[in-house]
């Protein structure tokens, strides 16, 4: 299967976010962020839950089927590398619902926990 990865790297899903969804650790906070976006896009809410910090995650991550994720743009990435313990990724994600198109602009915080990047929380930015 050579389907393009939903996260927009231009790589095949099987060479991009696929292995992460199957259990491989993300190397950077940005990679984790991309794989979480892909998981939302593909309805893999189990992965979204698993990569959410236990301190901040909801009891359950719901799969919102009224919404189709269309495109991800990573606007800024700070820290979150191999030698970091925290990272920040700012992104814009575009989606479509039955009533039209929308976008979500967020600055997300990530933490490395037991060697694995997890999502902590984020600030929603005004959409432009
Ligand atoms: Zn990907």
């Amino acid at each position: 299967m050579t389907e393009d990865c939903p996260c927009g790297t231009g790589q095949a899903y099987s060479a991009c976010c696929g292995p992460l969804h199957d259990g491989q650790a993300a190397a950077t906070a940005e990679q984790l962020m991309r794989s979480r976006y892909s998981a939302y896009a593909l309805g893999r809410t189990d992965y979204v839950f698993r990569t959410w910090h236990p301190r901040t995650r909801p009891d359950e991550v719901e799969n919102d089927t009224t919404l189709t994720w269309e495109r991800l743009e990573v606007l800024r990435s700070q820290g979150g590398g191999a030698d970091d313990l925290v990272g920040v990724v700012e992104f814009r994600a575009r989606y479509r619902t039955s009533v039209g198109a929308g976008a979500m602009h967020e600055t997300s915080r990530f933490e490395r926990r037991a060697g694995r990047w997890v999502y902590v929380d984020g600030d929603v930015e005004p959409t432009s």
Side-chain angles (χ1 to χ4, degrees):
M1 195 173 81
T2 55
E3 205 180 312
D4 281 355
C5 193
C7 82
T9 48
Q11 286 182 280
Y13 171 70
S14 59
C16 188
C17 297
L20 304 185
H21 292 171
D22 290 337
Q24 192 180 301
T28 64
E30 182 179 331
Q31 209 177 70
L32 183 83
M33 191 271 130
R34 287 180 170 281
S35 68
R36 283 171 53 85
Y37 169 85
S38 292
Y40 271 115
L42 297 169
R44 296 277 311 251
T45 46
D46 58 317
Y47 181 80
V48 175
F49 181 80
R50 212 161 68 224
T51 54
W52 207 314
H53 198 296
R55 194 178 72 227
T56 53
R57 75 183 167 200
D59 291 337
E60 206 180 325
V61 179
E62 282 190 42
N63 184 14
D64 188 351
T65 53
T66 64
L67 195 147
T68 305
W69 292 101
E70 296 200 311
R71 195 153 65 92
L72 172 70
E73 292 164 79
V74 173
L75 306 171
R76 185 169 62 96
S77 190
Q78 216 181 317
D83 301 322
D84 297 308
L85 290 175
V86 294
V88 171
V89 181
E90 182 183 351
F91 67 92
R92 191 184 289 122
R94 297 187 189 281
Y95 60 84
R96 185 167 292 281
T97 67
S98 58
V99 294
M104 182 191 166
H105 183 179
E106 186 183 300
T107 299
S108 301
R109 279 177 290 274
F110 297 87
E111 227 175 85
R112 199 209 298 267
R113 195 169 179 271
R116 285 185 169 248
W117 286 104
V118 289
Y119 171 75
V120 180
D121 57 14
D123 297 324
V124 173
E125 310 282 354
T127 34
S128 46

